[in-house]
């Protein structure tokens, strides 16, 4: 039988049993020789090698590079898994249930804080910074001749500063108090201002005030004998009222008459001490600007020296300042200013001075009048006592300061007790507003101040790991103070029987006819004369310019309110009132998770206190 030789020749196939072993061996040898003597084509090679086991290649040829087979397979697998996961996630996000994580919205106190600070931009006098128009578009440069028409021996010009309220008068006393309060709030709550994106703004507002205050006396001198009390006139009893800032109803930008400058020479200890507090507290705010901080400290020292040297002066206050901002005492300002100077300088002489029993007694620390505990532009005692309580809580200075600091601490506790509804020191309206001024008009400025002190004392106690304080035999937690503070600020922001916010621009309903010259006259109208602007004052129409952030004077003791421009007891905002509001708002802002007070910045200039040696006891006598 013949078959085809796979290598090209004939092949004889015999039956297996007809071939011997020798023949079989010979045939195989011939086949081997034939295989070696012939070139194999590709098909023949594949047939020959087909049945044999193939070895896996170690490398993969990608055309332009050889890659390890193992690495190639790992890379390919990783890519496949990643693609699968990405696709799965995409499908889940696209078709799965959506739970959007919205950005945390600012709380009401932060929103109100953003607005309340704008009021200070609306009150600026002088050559306004360019960015001011972004905050208050209807304001412009004004009163650019202040102090230039009648320069004094101790001042060159008096351009700048803030208008006090709805008029165009610049009172140094309440302006200084407002700057002190703003500085205090920044020192304690700088992190909260930063969180509200208002730290740079509030510092710029403080500097606008302190720059002006430095002009009102010879700030480069070590000793002074006079200072400016106010610029502008409000005494309408004078025969000539044409150039009077209370008689005239006109935009500050339109004032072209000569403005009166009032100075004091020996009867203004209260003013010098308050201005000293303003500059000393601001020096801590600006401690990173060493040159400016040093300038503020020097001015504060000079003023305090003047205040302390004239504290027994019986000279009369100027008629106008006594009519609008009459100081009941000057001792509380001396206590207040001395405390701030100690924190600003670390000079223990100031601490020794403010912890004397005599000064505390003169300041009314041991009294119990119906207005005891009412913090205001006139009464600094509650603020000064809390400020010195801070020293006791955190630094614990001992002899010889402990006795008086302990007294201030105890008195602060009594003041806080008087704010609570469990006690009957102050009445409350039916709507829940505490009547710190006993039902008199313009209550909100006092309420805001009390809310600030209560929130701050609560934060002090928390920072000192103290859960509360005693009112007689009863112990109250710090939460009780916060509840009081929130309840009063909530009332101001609209949680009251009228459902009206008393801060312009906050909420859905707020005063529209604010007692304010600049806000009541359209920017576009021609210049009005003093009496020509009366038609805007007496108009029943809403203000054409919205004075955002202004806290008005407030309701009456029955929670009633009349949105009438001509009635300043309801609708006029003030610089000092808004400063208290700003301080309270920042203290309450941020919720429970917000950073509390800054314990250390206040003490940045205070050296470690070494207690004096106690005097030896009196010899024993039988």
């Amino acid at each position: 039988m013949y078959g085809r030789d796979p290598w090209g020749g004939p092949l004889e196939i015999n039956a297996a049993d007809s071939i011997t072993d020798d023949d079989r061996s010979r045939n195989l040898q011939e086949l081997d020789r034939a295989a070696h003597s012939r070139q194999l084509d590709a098909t023949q090679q594949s047939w020959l090698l087909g049945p044999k086991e193939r070895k896996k290649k170690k490398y993969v040829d990608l055309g332009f590079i050889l890659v390890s087979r193992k690495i190639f397979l790992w890379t390919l697998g990783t890519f496949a898994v990643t693609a699968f996961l990405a696709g799965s996630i995409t499908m889940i996000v696209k078709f799965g249930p959506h739970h959007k994580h919205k950005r945390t919205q600012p709380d009401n106190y932060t929103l109100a804080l953003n607005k309340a600070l704008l009021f200070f931009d609306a009150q600026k006098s002088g050559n306004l910074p360019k960015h001011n128009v972004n905050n208050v578009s209807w304001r412009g440069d004004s009163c650019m001749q202040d102090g230039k028409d009648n320069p004094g021996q101790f001042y060159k010009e008096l351009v700048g500063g803030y208008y006090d309220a709805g008029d165009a008068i610049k009172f140094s006393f309440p302006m200084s108090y407002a700057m002190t309060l703003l500085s205090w709030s920044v020192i304690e709550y700088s992190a909260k201002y930063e969180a509200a994106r208002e730290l740079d703004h509030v510092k710029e507002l403080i500097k606008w005030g302190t720059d002006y205050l430095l002009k009102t006396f010879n700030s480069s001198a070590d000793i002074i004998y006079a200072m400016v009390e106010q610029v502008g006139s409000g005494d309408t009893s004078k025969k000539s009222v044409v150039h009077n800032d209370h008689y005239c109803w006109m935009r500050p930008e339109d004032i072209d008459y000569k403005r009166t400058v009032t100075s004091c020479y020996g009867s203004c200890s209260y003013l010098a001490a308050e201005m000293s507090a303003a500059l000393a507290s601001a020096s801590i705010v600006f401690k990173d600007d060493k040159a400016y901080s040093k300038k503020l400290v020097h001015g504060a020292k000079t003023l305090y020296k003047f205040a302390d040297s004239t504290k027994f002066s019986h000279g009369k206050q100027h008629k106008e300042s006594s009519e609008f901002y009459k100081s009941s005492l000057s001792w509380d300002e001396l206590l207040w200013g001395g405390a701030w100077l100690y924190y600003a300088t670390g000079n223990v002489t100031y601490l020794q001075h403010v912890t004397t029993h005599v000064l505390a007694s003169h300041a009314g620390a041991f009294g119990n009048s119906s207005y005891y505990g009412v913090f205001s532009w006139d009464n600094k005692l509650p603020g000064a006592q809390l400020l010195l309580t801070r020293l006791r809580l955190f630094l614990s200075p001992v002899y010889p300061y402990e006795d008086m600091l302990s007294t201030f601490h105890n008195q602060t506790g009594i003041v806080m007790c008087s704010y609570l509804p469990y006690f009957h020191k102050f009445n409350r309206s039916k709507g829940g507003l505490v009547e710190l001024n006993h039902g008199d008009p313009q209550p909100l400025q006092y309420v805001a101040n009390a809310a600030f002190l209560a929130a701050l004392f609560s934060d002090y106690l928390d920072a000192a790991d103290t859960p509360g304080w005693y009112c007689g035999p009863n112990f109250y937690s710090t939460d009780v103070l916060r509840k009081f503070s929130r309840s009063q600020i909530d009332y101001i922001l609209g949680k009251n029987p009228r459902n009206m916010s008393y801060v312009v621009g906050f909420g859905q309903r707020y005063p529209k006819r604010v007692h304010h010259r600049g806000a009541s006259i359209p920017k576009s109208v021609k210049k009005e004369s003093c009496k020509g602007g009366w038609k805007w004052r007496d108009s029943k129409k809403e203000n054409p310019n919205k004075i955002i952030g202004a806290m008005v004077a407030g309701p009456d003791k029955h929670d009633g309110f009349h949105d009438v421009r001509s009635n300043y007891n309801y609708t006029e905002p003030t610089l000092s009132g808004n400063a208290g509001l700003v301080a309270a708002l920042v203290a309450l802002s941020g919720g429970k998770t917000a950073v509390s007070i800054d314990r250390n910045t206040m003490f940045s200039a205070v050296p470690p206190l070494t207690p004096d040696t106690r005097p030896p006891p009196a010899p024993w006598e039988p």
Side-chain angles (χ1 to χ4, degrees), residues 57-71:
K57 294 182 180 180
K58 294 184 179 181
Y59 297 95
V60 176
D61 188 354
L62 298 179
F64 58 90
I65 190 171
L66 288 175
V67 181
S68 168
R69 181 183 183 86
K70 185 179 291 186
I71 294 176

Side-chain angles (χ1 to χ4, degrees), residues 439-564:
D440 287 342
Q442 307 177 35
L444 295 188
Q445 58 180 311
Y446 308 103
V447 172
N449 289 343
F452 169 59
L453 294 189
L456 184 57
F457 184 56
S458 173
D459 285 340
Y460 282 174
L461 293 178
D462 282 348
D465 295 324
T466 305
W469 86 112
Y470 280 96
C471 295
N474 300 317
F475 183 84
Y476 293 96
S477 71
T478 55
D479 287 338
V480 174
L481 279 178
R482 288 196 187 92
K483 183 179 179 181
F484 161 77
S485 184
R486 286 194 295 265
S487 71
Q488 299 306 300
I489 297 301
D490 287 347
Y491 183 105
I492 293 173
L493 296 182
K495 196 174 181 179
N496 54 62
R498 298 184 62 84
N499 294 319
M500 169 177 275
S501 165
Y502 293 109
V503 177
V504 177
F506 184 85
Q508 298 299 315
R509 188 166 179 248
Y510 48 82
K512 305 293 179 60
R513 299 164 186 84
V514 179
H515 183 93
H516 192 276
R517 285 157 176 75
S520 66
I521 304 175
K523 182 179 179 180
S524 59
V525 304
K526 64 181 180 67
K527 178 180 176 180
E528 296 285 5
S529 63
C530 282
K531 291 185 66 174
W534 287 9
K535 65 176 177 289
W536 302 105
R537 180 194 65 187
D538 301 331
S539 171
K540 294 182 180 180
K541 294 181 179 180
E542 296 180 3
N543 286 351
N545 304 314
K546 190 181 295 184
I547 184 164
I548 299 293
M551 182 183 75
V552 296
D556 58 32
K557 61 183 178 181
H558 303 296
D559 299 306
F561 181 80
H562 299 288
D563 191 7
V564 179

Side-chain angles (χ1 to χ4, degrees), residues 13 116 138 160 174 179 190 206 223 226 273 284 322 366 378 408 518 526 564 573 576:
I13 302 176
W138 46 272
M179 295 304 104
S190 60
I206 294 169
I223 298 175
I284 302 174
S322 64
F366 310 108
D378 180 31
F408 291 145
K526 64 181 180 67
V564 179
S576 56

Side-chain angles (χ1 to χ4, degrees), residues 17 21 87 89 184 209 220 224 243 253 259 268 302 316 326 357 423 515 546 576 599:
D17 55 356
D21 290 338
I89 293 171
W184 193 5
S220 63
I224 61 171
H243 295 166
E253 289 80 358
R259 306 230 301 163
C268 49
T302 300
K316 294 181 180 180
K326 182 179 181 180
H357 190 280
F423 302 91
H515 183 93
K546 190 181 295 184
S576 56
R599 285 187 53 161

Side-chain angles (χ1 to χ4, degrees), residues 80-150:
V81 171
T82 303
F84 173 76
L85 290 175
S88 300
I89 293 171
T90 302
M91 294 295 288
I92 292 172
V93 171
K94 186 174 182 179
F95 299 106
H98 286 195
H99 300 284
K100 294 183 179 179
H101 295 280
K102 295 182 179 179
R103 183 180 178 182
T104 303
Q105 294 296 318
D107 56 80
N108 278 347
Y109 303 124
T110 301
L111 293 173
L113 173 67
N114 298 143
K115 295 182 182 298
L117 288 169
L118 296 178
F119 173 72
F120 291 88
D121 290 301
Q123 295 301 101
K124 285 178 180 175
S125 177
N127 185 16
L128 302 186
K130 291 181 179 179
H131 65 264
N132 208 76
V133 71
N134 297 327
N135 295 336
V136 190
S137 60
W138 46 272
R139 282 302 322 279
D141 297 347
S142 61
C143 296
M144 296 297 293
Q145 287 300 118
D146 280 356
K148 295 179 181 179
D149 295 327
N150 49 353

